[in-house]
Amino acid sequence: MNVALVGMPNVGKTALFNALTGSFQKVANFPGVTVEKKMARMSLPEGKQCDLVDLPGLYSLDVATLDEKVARDWLTGKANAAGPIILVLDATHLQKSLYLLLQMHELGHRPIIALTQMDQSHKRGQEIDLQHFEHLSGCRVLPVSAVTGQGIEALKAEVLNELSKNQVSVMLPDDFQRKIKAPAYVSEKFHTIDTWLHEIVKKPLRPDTLTQHLDRWALHPVGGFVVLFSLLFFMFQALFSWAGPAQDLIEMGVGALGTFIGSFITHPILQSLIVDGIIGGVGGVVVFLPQILLMFLFIQFLEDVGYLGRAAFLMDGFMRKLGLPGKAMVPLLSSHACAIPGVLATRILEDRRERLVAMLVIPLTTCSARLPVFTLLIAALIPATASVGPFSLQGVAMMGLYIFPMLSAILVAAVLRKIMPHDAPSMLLMELPPYRWPKVRHLIRTLLNKANLFVSKAGKVILALSLVIWVLVSFPRHPDGSAGNIEDSYAAVIGRAFTPIFAPLGFDWRINTALIPAFGAREVLVAALATVYAVEGNEESQSSQLTTILGREYSLATLAALIVWFIFSPQCISTIAVIRRESGGWGAPLAMVAYTLALAWIMAFLTYRILV
Amino acid sequence: MELFGIPNAMTLADVTPIRSYRILALAVTEESVMATRLRQLGFVPGMKFVCEAVAPLIRNPYLVRIRGINVALSRHEALLINIEEIHS
């Protein structure tokens, strides 16, 4: 039987989910049609286990978005396999949180109540009569802390206790969905909450002065933008200067590994396969792990702190002129880590057409898979020593490669809004959660997950593609077994076949050969180029010198055109798949692929023409 | 402006920071997504709220404190909410 975790948005549900299931527990996506529920094993006392489902946050059973509908269906019994329910209540937001509890009561649910943010509640002088709360609600009320782990074991024991009981069946009155929409019903519930709070809360909460002070800056009409752009600028500079040392270390390790292993293998083909194909290809991509993790860390940090909502608030005036609510900034910003969570985050947009537009432009933003490509090409174009004032020119160029795609995405969105008919005006209407210091454990868990995903992808997809490319570049060999001329290799034949399409952009067969497998995943371009040049250069070349080789072999125009190609081109199978799933059809992903390909070709062509 | 058939009715778009107001009526159909979101966040007739911030010049968006939470609204939504000021 599954145990479900429900609660309003921003009550610390995910942190509690992590604390209950353990930081290193594998999180599986719940099988569903268009929705994503998180599920993981939770160990209980007496050696027992159960599955814990993290349902999306919802304010009320009167729902507005897809995500909320998933949670609603679980509570109204439309989703089967329902078992005990843990309701997460924020002790510092009882006025808001209790609404869901009252509605669950109406359906006959008696959830276990996990009371979070108790430390904040104490700090701000609030005193809650927990016994009286239990008496009023008829539920067990357990204070828990995801940070210190306090109350977690007691909560698990209570879950075990609930599992042994007979489950209450949910009673859904016929007119329930209509009834809860009446303002009189809502007012009555609010009145009940106030009566309860009057009895439960012995000393009231002092105002959250930290949030008030921070918002004075973060939401200031001028200061707010200074804060926003400083954060972004800091992020891009850090991406280059902080990740550098770690990257150099991995690079040295990969180089040393290649030399070390290569010295044991005498067979020339086998040596080339392992050193050039496997270590060169996969190593070329793994080098970028520090940068990618740093990007994920920043986005996760901004999200956990509660800043993304502020960015939405600031940008609302500007975004509205383009036909989208400021809220669309949330998925657009989070897609800078990866387009997939970005596409999922479009669920906060209630309007179907707005959501579609956001999904269509998200693939334009600079995701972390573009980092290896851009870093490599920038390094080939701009010397590391060049600087603009105190900032490295490479860092500034990288920032440009975030700003320009972002502006393109917003511009394309504006055009799409003009083309597509839209009746309902877009709405902002969202809660701005209080600022919270992020839980280090949660950040680490997210990073470990990402690192794991990236490395296993490098180990499977990129490894396989590197091998294929190595074969294509290394064969056919001369009849006597010696290495053939690379210009006659299969790779060259395939690459040349694409010449009519890519020659106008200044790409030669080597780039074409690397570009084709990179349609599966962008970062393969780096692995593929590394393999091609490792095989071609043989003795003197190593993957670490790829930037030098690219700078020597290609003109400024070609490298710039390649960068522009990668800004627009839809080179990620997973993004296409997630857009298909989230939009519920092939129309949106195909439209996205078609327009981005056209845009990529035209913009790269123009770049090449102007610079050549 | 003419809203709810009343000339010069005050809406949430007319609020001033730090002052308190009471919601009188909402110009939304009960079934709409906007109405749902408004109800979820506590916007029902009779509810009190405090204006926290208004972006100057363009007067969009607005930040109000209602039932213990901070809610951001665009001018669009603000115009649909009929209010009165509470003088204390």
Side-chain angles (χ1 to χ4, degrees), chain A residues 253-288:
Chain A
V254 169
L257 188 73
T259 319
F260 180 71
I261 292 181
S263 67
F264 286 102
I265 307 167
T266 44
H267 193 284
I269 298 183
L270 203 62
Q271 189 193 32
S272 171
L273 169 72
I274 292 174
V275 176
D276 302 333
I278 298 177
I279 299 175
V282 175
V285 175
V286 169
V287 163
F288 294 96

Side-chain angles (χ1 to χ4, degrees), chain A residues 62-63 65 68 93 95-96 181 183 186 190 193 219 221 313 316-317 320 350 425 427-432, chain B residues 30 33-34 36-40 42 44 47 56 60-63 67-74 76-77:
Chain A
D62 180 11
V63 299
T65 62
E68 293 172 355
H93 281 96
Q95 223 182 354
K96 143 183 147 179
K181 288 187 183 296
V186 182
F190 285 156
I193 291 172
L219 300 181
F313 183 90
D316 191 67
R320 199 155 288 276
E350 294 91 348
M427 60 175 168
L428 175 66
L429 209 57
M430 64 189 288
E431 182 189 350
L432 289 189
Chain B
E30 258 173 41
V33 177
M34 171 109 62
T36 301
R37 186 61 87 209
L38 282 167
R39 278 193 299 274
Q40 289 177 343
V44 287
M47 191 58 66
N60 176 60
Y62 298 80
L63 186 67
R67 290 189 62 77
I69 59 173
N70 287 324
V71 177
L73 300 93
S74 74
H76 216 101
E77 293 109 59

Side-chain angles (χ1 to χ4, degrees), chain A residues 322-324 351-361 412-424 588 591:
Chain A
L322 303 173
L324 280 176
D351 186 86
R352 206 178 53 83
R353 290 205 182 93
E354 281 170 5
R355 191 164 169 244
L356 201 60
V357 168
M359 266 188 234
L360 286 173
V361 302
V412 172
V415 172
L416 287 174
R417 284 297 278 174
K418 282 268 184 299
I419 300 170
M420 285 161 70
H422 57 281
D423 33 29

Side-chain angles (χ1 to χ4, degrees), chain A residues 503-506 557-558 560-561 601-612:
Chain A
L505 314 182
T558 298
W601 198 91
I602 293 167
M603 297 302 270
F605 177 73
L606 289 178
T607 310
Y608 184 69
R609 281 284 107 190
I610 290 167
L611 291 176
V612 82

